[in-house]
Amino acid sequence: MNKPIKRAFLDTEDGQILYRIGGEGEPLLLLHMNPRSSDEYRELMPILAKKYRVIAMDLMGFGDSDKPPRLYSVADYAKTVIALLDELGIAKTNILGNHTGAFVSGEVAAAYPERVNKLILCNVAGFGEAGKADLMRRFQEGFVIQEDGSHLMERWLARSSYVGSADLNHRWVLDDLKCFGYPLYAVWAVGNYCMEAAERFTAIKCPTLIFWGIDDVEEFERLGLALAKDRYFLSQAIPHSQVVELPGGTICMMNQMPEEIAKIVIQFLENAGVQI
């Protein structure tokens, strides 16, 4: 019988980190996007836990992890990944990261290659100078509590065109609200990292799967954050990587398409080859 998904905390010098863990066998770490939490993998974890020891952490500043005492860089987030692996006695792991989590995952593989077995990078955007400027603008604006409560509806409507269900949107908004009143840590971190990401990722030598949801990519272009064509900087930086593009994969695809995503992930981890 598979172990249930449980919640636990890791104490670090900068505060507590919440993580979810379940299953047995080869480890697989899941890193979430901004402004979500490990809840992004609520549907996916039980499927993957049938075959793997699956861990999903709330990055510091998100979900139920503490707010870091300073603005965290992508390198800082990578260090917290290593701290969690050390705490769990995991010498080497597979990692899947989505959006912000993918930038952190790539940095872990580049900076700590001995700790990564196989790597899955999901929905990495090629921001460029214009995208970086927009990220920094969003960071400066932040999430602001409005006297009339209009910020609540603003966050609800932010995903209404693609979230798919009121229940899922509610979960997203709960994660959003935990970021209010604090800096947008991951936006700052990715904004300061995205221009060097191509160079950093050339250091990645482990088997790598690059995984894009096409609706996700197109939504980022509609938002003016990143041109769809610019995402291919990633496959150029990691020429030995495999690429999968999932039609219909939205920004919410980890929650909406867990069976399809699990199939692709398991095929890659078991065979280093993917067919869809």
Side-chain angles (χ1 to χ4, degrees):
M1 182 179 295
N2 292 314
K3 292 183 178 180
I5 306 298
K6 296 183 178 180
R7 290 160 53 96
F9 284 93
L10 167 67
D11 290 317
T12 75
E13 61 182 13
D14 285 343
Q16 284 194 323
I17 295 173
L18 180 281
Y19 63 95
R20 303 171 191 241
I21 185 167
E24 297 179 333
E26 187 178 356
L28 170 60
L29 178 66
L30 310 176
L31 301 180
H32 64 83
M33 71 166 73
N34 167 78
R36 292 235 60 202
S37 69
S38 56
D39 180 74
E40 180 174 19
Y41 298 110
R42 186 193 298 183
E43 290 83 2
L44 188 58
M45 284 189 76
I47 303 172
L48 295 174
K50 295 175 183 177
K51 288 181 170 285
Y52 302 99
R53 185 186 184 194
V54 186
I55 307 108
M57 62 191 296
D58 289 4
L59 297 174
M60 294 201 75
F62 298 92
D64 291 328
S65 289
D66 286 344
K67 309 302 178 186
R70 63 186 183 282
L71 285 170
Y72 254 34
S73 66
V74 168
D76 288 325
Y77 281 119
K79 289 177 183 177
T80 66
V81 169
I82 298 302
L84 179 58
L85 295 179
D86 288 346
E87 172 70 15
L88 297 174
I90 297 173
K92 199 166 189 176
T93 187
N94 304 301
I95 306 182
L96 180 154
N98 190 36
H99 281 290
T100 300
F103 282 104
V104 176
S105 300
E107 177 61 21
V108 172
Y112 309 95
E114 73 283 359
R115 305 302 296 269
V116 181
N117 183 24
K118 293 182 180 179
L119 180 66
I120 304 171
L121 302 176
C122 301
N123 297 313
V124 175
F127 287 105
E129 290 288 356
K132 176 179 179 178
D134 194 65
L135 287 172
M136 290 309 184
R137 176 187 62 80
R138 292 168 185 262
F139 167 72
Q140 292 295 333
E141 292 176 354
F143 283 168
V144 180
I145 299 172
Q146 303 294 336
E147 291 291 338
D148 62 359
S150 57
H151 61 291
L152 302 174
M153 184 56 71
E154 178 185 345
R155 297 314 305 159
W156 184 270
L157 294 175
R159 291 168 293 271
S160 59
S161 64
Y162 56 80
V163 73
S165 75
D167 176 71
L168 179 54
N169 207 0
H170 181 74
R171 288 161 53 191
W172 273 69
V173 171
L174 289 178
D175 276 345
D176 287 355
L177 296 182
K178 292 175 182 179
C179 298
F180 271 75
Y182 299 93
L184 297 183
Y185 297 100
V187 175
W188 184 87
V190 171
N192 281 285
Y193 185 84
C194 62
M195 297 306 296
E196 64 176 300
E199 181 178 353
R200 290 295 297 154
F201 289 172
T202 61
I204 296 173
K205 304 304 179 187
C206 63
T208 301
L209 173 66
I210 296 171
F211 190 5
W212 283 299
I214 298 304
D215 285 0
D216 181 314
V217 169
E218 293 174 348
E219 182 67 18
F220 260 52
E221 183 161 298
R222 286 191 291 270
L223 291 170
L225 279 166
L227 296 176
K229 65 181 179 63
D230 289 346
R231 71 189 186 275
Y232 293 116
F233 87 90
L234 187 61
S235 51
Q236 293 168 359
I238 315 172
H240 64 276
S241 61
Q242 300 178 62
V243 175
V244 170
E245 297 187 335
L246 186 62
T250 74
I251 294 176
C252 308
M253 71 185 206
M254 297 297 167
N255 301 112
Q256 294 169 333
M257 309 174 72
E259 295 286 352
E260 295 93 328
I261 290 170
K263 180 180 177 181
I264 292 169
V265 169
I266 292 169
Q267 283 182 348
F268 173 70
L269 294 181
E270 290 189 347
N271 306 310
V274 178
Q275 295 180 345
I276 62 170

